[in-house]
Amino acid sequence: MPKTVVITGASDGTGAAAARLLVRDGHRVVAVGRSAAKTKAVADELGVHHFVADFADFADLHQVRTLAAQLADHCPRIDVLANNAGAILGDRHVTADGFEETFQVNFLAPFLLTNLLLDTLLASQALVVQTSSNAARLSARVDLDDLDNARNYSPVRAYGNAKLDLVLFTRELHDRYHEQGLSAVAFHPGGVASNFAQTSRSPVGTLFRTPVPRLLFQSPQKAARQLLWFVTPTPEECVVSGAYYENGKPRTLKAPPIGPQLWEATTALLDLNKR
């Protein structure tokens, strides 16, 4: 059965590849991207609707709120929300909203978008798919007293922390709303030969500006197939709501059980009404 899939980060890389495969399989896609020209090009190619929101270098979170309102008006039903946009940045930078940039782009933005669309997602008994990273397992530590990474900052640690926040958020979505029909998963897509991190002011960005990713990493199309599996799993397998996946399998992360506290802290930071 065709599904309505909203996918962020759809102007390039894995997001654009996933949009193409989803449309090929007969699904209704709404593409969201940071570049107006690239997003329109992908949308025109596929004949789908699109919205522009900068999920890689926010000046403020107003764009997320505007996007949520646009999606609520355009999509009476959302079967899948794919929070795919993200970025690894460089030196510590505080946005106009007063948040550390990596934390805002990779965690606060998808948290806010998901919560603003929650009524539609619940009514649709939707699936939320979060593109995380194995950095959540390898280089992360959630500190509720330092969510903004003010202490011992590094680009990789800040990115890993935000992606671990995203995994904890995924579990909490499951715990709070699965009985009402909402499901949520997070996954690590693996190394992808894309434009990811090419503008990053970090050592990872330096790596992505070399030929190495093109030689060693998987194609965006292969990474996109992982996302598609969550949308339409095989009859023999099922999506485990609340889980974090690597290589197509649920994987346990050693993280403190602070999902509820993180949720409440984030809700307060974003001045969201508690649900």
Side-chain angles (χ1 to χ4, degrees):
M1 179 180 296
K3 297 181 179 180
T4 298
V5 183
V6 174
I7 179 166
T8 68
S11 61
D12 205 349
T14 301
R20 292 184 178 98
L21 292 174
L22 287 163
V23 169
R24 179 204 65 185
D25 290 347
H27 299 290
R28 296 177 292 269
V29 170
V30 179
V32 178
R34 65 176 300 206
S35 164
K38 286 185 176 182
T39 308
K40 183 178 185 302
V42 171
D44 288 350
E45 170 196 337
L46 300 177
V48 302
H49 205 87
H50 76 281
F51 296 101
V52 175
D54 192 341
F55 272 64
D57 191 16
F58 279 127
D60 59 59
L61 286 169
H62 177 70
Q63 293 186 54
V64 182
R65 297 181 186 276
T66 299
L67 172 63
Q70 291 171 326
L71 289 171
D73 287 342
H74 178 72
C75 304
R77 179 180 182 87
I78 298 175
D79 296 292
V80 181
L81 171 62
N83 285 319
N84 172 68
I88 185 167
L89 303 167
D91 295 340
R92 189 175 186 276
H93 174 71
V94 176
T95 69
D97 291 293
F99 303 116
E100 189 274 315
E101 189 177 20
T102 306
F103 174 57
Q104 180 163 317
V105 169
N106 292 283
F107 175 62
L108 290 182
F111 184 98
L112 179 59
L113 180 62
T114 304
N115 273 273
L116 292 176
L117 292 174
L118 200 50
D119 288 340
T120 300
L121 296 172
L122 288 171
S124 306
Q125 296 193 320
L127 169 67
V128 178
V129 181
Q130 322 262 32
T131 301
S132 185
S133 167
N134 64 353
R137 177 171 55 83
L138 300 175
S139 57
R141 181 178 61 86
V142 175
D143 184 348
L144 292 172
D145 295 323
D146 188 32
L147 292 173
D148 257 355
N149 303 301
R151 299 191 292 269
N152 300 318
Y153 177 87
S154 78
V156 172
R157 183 181 295 112
Y159 180 72
N161 289 352
K163 292 303 188 180
L164 180 54
D165 291 340
L166 203 61
V167 172
L168 294 174
F169 170 43
T170 301
R171 293 178 183 172
E172 193 64 13
L173 275 172
H174 168 84
D175 290 346
R176 289 174 181 249
Y177 297 111
H178 191 59
E179 289 187 356
Q180 298 179 49
L182 184 72
S183 298
V185 293
F187 79 108
H188 168 55
V192 184
S194 70
N195 291 327
F196 173 78
Q198 285 201 358
T199 60
S200 172
R201 309 174 302 274
S202 72
V204 175
T206 302
L207 172 66
F208 269 81
R209 289 187 288 272
T210 72
V212 171
R214 305 287 175 183
L215 295 173
L216 299 181
F217 293 170
Q218 65 184 324
S219 68
Q221 292 74 21
K222 186 173 181 179
R225 292 188 190 101
Q226 296 183 61
L227 194 156
L228 260 68
W229 180 83
F230 295 111
V231 177
T232 53
T234 62
E236 296 79 19
E237 300 179 288
C238 64
V239 174
V240 179
S241 182
Y244 163 72
Y245 281 78
E246 286 187 21
N247 299 316
K249 303 291 183 183
R251 178 154 188 168
T252 301
L253 287 182
K254 294 181 180 179
I258 57 172
Q261 295 94 319
L262 178 63
W263 183 290
E264 297 302 326
T266 308
T267 297
L269 288 174
L270 295 172
D271 196 26
L272 286 167
N273 292 325
K274 296 182 180 179
R275 303 183 63 120

